[in-house]
């Protein structure tokens, strides 16, 4: 008896990160949106935004489309992360599914979209329930890669407005790393990196001495940190 060969389909999923001041003392944390599955397998469980890839659809366009469908926005950064195609990841489905995973970033002030949809929820990236398929593994992989690349200024830039304070930049680093960093050391490192330029403007409406606003330079200066960010002393 010859066993039939199961079909294999291609899908796209996106891990969409943003930062919010929801930690102790207002510390920023990473959050992401999830979509409730409305069909088997894994009916009613939360899953990453995504879906099947159409035959004539570009991968990047598919990822951007599913992101827009979930949160109603375009990401400031959308980058292909990895491909997941384990033999056991599609158990319960009629076919084997290989998923191309992207990660995306949304600035904090854009990240409230989609919350009026009962089938979309925002949760802390480090405090998730069991997700459908292997999506818990995918999120863990995305977090690891994000932390590995924190020294690249373009990563933090994805979560910030065009101009920002050094405190805001530090908050993004803390959210990604999952712990506080020493503020004076952080300031010293980023100012010496050559990656920032002072805009000459300051935050309006603040008492005392308003903080300066910076932007990223377009030069190929060294990374922010060559050996990681200094962790805050307890």
């Amino acid at each position: 008896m010859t066993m039939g060969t199961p079909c294999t389909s291609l899908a796209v999923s996106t891990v969409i990160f943003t930062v919010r001041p929801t930690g102790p003392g207002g510390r920023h944390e990473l959050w992401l949106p999830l979509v409730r599955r409305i069909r088997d397998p894994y009916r009613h469980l939360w899953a990453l935004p995504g879906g099947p890839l159409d035959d004539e659809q570009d991968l990047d366009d598919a990822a951007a489309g599913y992101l827009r469908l979930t949160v109603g926005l375009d990401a400031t950064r959308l980058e292909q992360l990895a491909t997941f195609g384990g033999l056991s990841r599609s158990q319960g489905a009629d076919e084997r599914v290989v998923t191309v995973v992207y990660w995306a970033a949304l600035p904090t002030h854009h990240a409230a979209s989609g919350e009026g949809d009962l089938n979309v929820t925002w949760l802390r990236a480090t405090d998730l329930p069991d997700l459908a398929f292997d999506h818990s593994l995918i999120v863990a992989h995305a977090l690891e890669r994000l932390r590995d690349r924190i020294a690249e200024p373009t990563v933090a830039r994805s979560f910030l407005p065009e101009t920002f304070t050094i405190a805001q930049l530090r908050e993004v680093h803390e959210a990604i790393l999952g712990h506080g960093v020493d503020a004076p050391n952080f300031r010293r490192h980023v100012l010496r990196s050559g990656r920032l330029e002072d805009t000459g403007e300051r935050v309006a409406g603040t008492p005392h001495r308003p903080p300066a606003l910076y932007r990223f330079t377009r030069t190929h200066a060294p990374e922010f940190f060559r050996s990681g960010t200094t962790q805050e002393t307890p």
Side-chain angles (χ1 to χ4, degrees), residues 26-169:
R27 181 172 292 170
H28 283 62
E29 300 174 305
L30 279 176
W31 287 66
L32 56 78
L34 298 170
V35 178
R36 191 193 308 274
R37 286 188 56 80
I38 58 175
R39 61 178 64 88
D40 292 327
Y42 300 105
R43 183 190 295 265
H44 303 313
L45 287 189
W46 295 106
L48 292 168
L53 180 73
D54 292 340
D55 290 341
E56 299 181 357
Q57 194 174 27
D58 179 87
L59 280 168
D60 291 357
D61 290 342
Y66 284 122
L67 185 153
R68 197 177 301 116
L69 182 65
T70 303
V71 297
L73 296 167
D74 291 315
T76 52
R77 184 188 187 102
L78 182 65
E79 181 180 323
Q80 195 172 129
L81 176 69
T83 300
F84 288 76
L87 293 175
S88 62
R89 71 180 307 269
S90 306
Q91 287 183 347
D94 296 331
E95 58 186 359
R96 179 183 178 186
V97 180
V98 175
T99 298
V100 180
V101 178
Y102 283 73
W103 80 271
L106 289 175
T108 305
H109 57 288
H110 287 166
S113 297
E115 292 191 331
D117 189 333
L118 293 178
N119 289 318
V120 176
T121 189
W122 285 82
L123 297 174
R124 288 179 179 85
T126 55
D127 186 23
L128 299 178
D130 290 336
L131 304 182
F133 303 106
D134 57 354
H135 290 190
S136 296
L137 177 64
I138 291 174
V139 172
H141 180 75
L143 280 170
E144 182 180 7
R145 290 291 295 127
L146 194 63
R147 288 165 179 164
D148 285 345
R149 297 178 59 187
I150 188 59
E152 300 175 24
T154 54
V155 172
R157 178 187 295 181
S158 306
F159 296 93
L160 292 165
E162 182 66 24
T163 62
F164 50 86
T165 66
I166 290 180
Q168 288 174 314
L169 178 60

